[in-house]
Amino acid sequence: MTEKELETINIGMFGHIDHGKTTLLQKLSGKWTDTHSEEIKRGITIKLGYADTTIYKDKDFYNIEKKGIPVRNVSFIDCPGHEMLMTTTLSGAALIDAAILVIAANEGIKPQTREHLMTLQAKKITNLIIVQNKIDLVEKEVAKKNYEEIKNFLGKEYENSKIIPVSAQQNVNIDLILKEITEIQIPDRKAKETPIFIVARSFDINRPGTIPKNLKGSVLGGSLKQGTLKENEEIEIRKITQKENIKIKTKIVSMYKGSEKLKEMFPGGSTSIETELDMSLGKADALSGSLVSHIEKLPEPQSKITLKFTLFPKVFGISDHVEVEKLKQGELLMLSINTSITGGAVSLIKEDSVHIDLKVPAFLFKNDNVAIARNINNHWRLIGYGEIC
Ligand code: GDP
Ligand code: MG
């Protein structure tokens, strides 16, 4: 198989700040500027946090230096570790098939490490690789103890996840991570269903002074979650926020995966769509968070949601032990639905299901996973998750 024919897996990077996510990502993908060269050529501003690569296998050596045969394409998404950006992390989780959780051996498990693991659990991301990083900084005994600590921390949910001791900085065991990535089973892509493209970024790719006849339409960057899209097809872009209710029809002019032009787009990897839309509409991420599908194929937005929910036993992301209290009638919760974050008030609670009135209507897909957060001492804290009924 050639690189082009290989499937692409989307992997999110998680972990406490400074534990080495960005360093590791550079070692795993190698080529920040290279992969985005097409974007540079076309004048798109690069947003850090995306990196695509192909993993090769040379006998038993897994590498990204094109030695041996290509075995898997990977699209990495770097999720920020700071708690202020928890909402971004949650949105990122909507786009991934698997995750890497980085834990620095010299610091061990931190509040955000726990919070990220809970996020993954809430979003039903079961494919997880644990990277025990910075082993160059600790003695063997400390590394061993830390390893056991991680094992306990993972609990039943993730007891089968591999823990790989690594030094990202010194290039130790990077190949073992690459090998593990090739062994993750790619989930069913539902290529035959209605397409749903999630827009993560949108841009105006025209350089100042371009003559009108050469102007290009808005470009949407993101991920196709299911279905397929074809060149020249008519599409509909939908986005709802407190201020806007966007429903626009346009046409696909061209599509790209990295520098490769696509006639047809399949789920997996980060891709972009050039549309006929006026460039000012897509400028500066104005359309990020939108959903794209064929005309009239997306469900109508709903302002009531019913979830079959599970609460965590305690609140994560803080050092103190705080138990999660039961849901209360009328209380305000924050829900992460697809890539959007929406507030809502609890209107009815039955045993394991809850009805919530959303402040802003949302596009709901049955059986999708929703993370539930509650405001505790002025911070939104993840308290559980639910499945859309
Ligand atoms: P992030 O906040 O999780 O993205 O962490 P960074 O990748 O920015 O790394 C934070 C710091 O740790 C940087 O100074 C890195 O050079 C350093 N670092 C990352 N990996 C290693 C490692 O394996 N060993 C050592 N000694 N330092 C590392
Ligand atoms: Mg970073």
Side-chain angles (χ1 to χ4, degrees), residues 191-255:
K192 294 225 158 63
E193 297 196 13
T194 303
I196 302 172
F197 181 89
I198 297 178
V199 180
R201 306 164 291 167
S202 73
F203 2 67
D204 166 10
I205 57 168
N206 298 291
R207 292 174 199 285
T210 308
I211 53 169
K213 118 175 140 55
N214 291 339
L215 281 176
K216 300 227 180 254
S218 289
V219 173
L220 311 173
S223 262
L224 186 60
K225 201 174 163 182
Q226 61 174 56
T228 57
L229 289 172
K230 294 193 188 71
E231 209 176 53
N232 296 321
E233 264 178 346
E234 306 253 315
I235 49 170
E236 187 171 270
I237 303 171
R238 302 230 46 186
K239 178 180 179 181
I240 293 200
T241 64
Q242 220 140 15
K243 295 187 205 97
E244 47 191 357
N245 183 352
I246 295 173
K247 181 174 182 173
I248 20 184
K249 287 181 186 153
T250 183
K251 208 171 137 182
I252 297 176
V253 176
S254 60
M255 299 184 294

Side-chain angles (χ1 to χ4, degrees), residues 13 81 113 127 179 181 184 188 221-222 243 282 288 313 318 333 343 364 366:
M13 307 289 294
T113 318
N127 291 315
K179 176 171 191 278
I181 291 173
I184 296 171
D188 174 22
K243 295 187 205 97
S288 70
I318 45 180
L333 298 172
L364 306 180
K366 202 171 180 287

Side-chain angles (χ1 to χ4, degrees), residues 247-283:
K247 181 174 182 173
I248 20 184
K249 287 181 186 153
T250 183
K251 208 171 137 182
I252 297 176
V253 176
S254 60
M255 299 184 294
Y256 289 89
K257 182 171 189 174
S259 56
E260 181 198 350
K261 199 164 191 264
L262 305 171
K263 288 261 170 241
E264 188 167 14
M265 187 192 288
F266 295 96
S270 55
T271 45
S272 59
I273 302 174
E274 182 191 335
T275 67
E276 283 185 346
L277 269 192
D278 188 288
M279 70 230 175
S280 62
L281 286 171
K283 215 158 72 178

Side-chain angles (χ1 to χ4, degrees), residues 282-298:
K283 215 158 72 178
D285 285 334
L287 292 171
S288 70
S290 339
L291 298 180
V292 176
S293 186
H294 291 147
I295 309 289
E296 298 291 342
K297 287 292 184 201
L298 287 172

